[in-house]
Amino acid sequence: RPWNEISIDFIIGLLLYKNLIEDSDFNIILIIINWYSKMIRYITYNKIINSSEFIKLIWENIFLLFNIPNRIISD
């Protein structure tokens, strides 16, 4: 089943970039990879987030769209 197993990683410490689609600045990218189809979602934001903000980000961008995965891999 797609999005049953995902991998999560952060890219932090980037220079401040302009997101032309959302008209906002960002310097952090959250990368979520679906192991089944190798589809990748990039979520950009501009500050270090705490655990509750991270869960909200994952909930809105993955769980609501694709369901809750059985396995999440992160380093």
Side-chain angles (χ1 to χ4, degrees), residues 8 30 32 54-64:
I8 297 175
L30 172 62
I32 304 169
F54 172 73
I55 292 299
K56 184 178 181 219
L57 218 67
I58 296 296
W59 185 264
E60 292 172 350
N61 290 282
I62 300 298
F63 297 170
L64 288 180

Side-chain angles (χ1 to χ4, degrees), residues 16-19 22-27 44-47:
L16 201 57
Y17 288 95
K18 184 78 164 171
N19 185 338
E22 297 176 6
D23 194 30
S24 62
D25 296 333
F26 70 92
N27 62 352
T44 60
Y45 48 97
N46 61 0
K47 65 175 186 152

Side-chain angles (χ1 to χ4, degrees), residues 24-40:
S24 62
D25 296 333
F26 70 92
N27 62 352
I28 298 172
I29 302 173
L30 172 62
I31 302 169
I32 304 169
I33 302 168
N34 171 17
W35 281 72
Y36 180 78
S37 69
K38 306 300 185 219
M39 179 180 174
I40 300 174

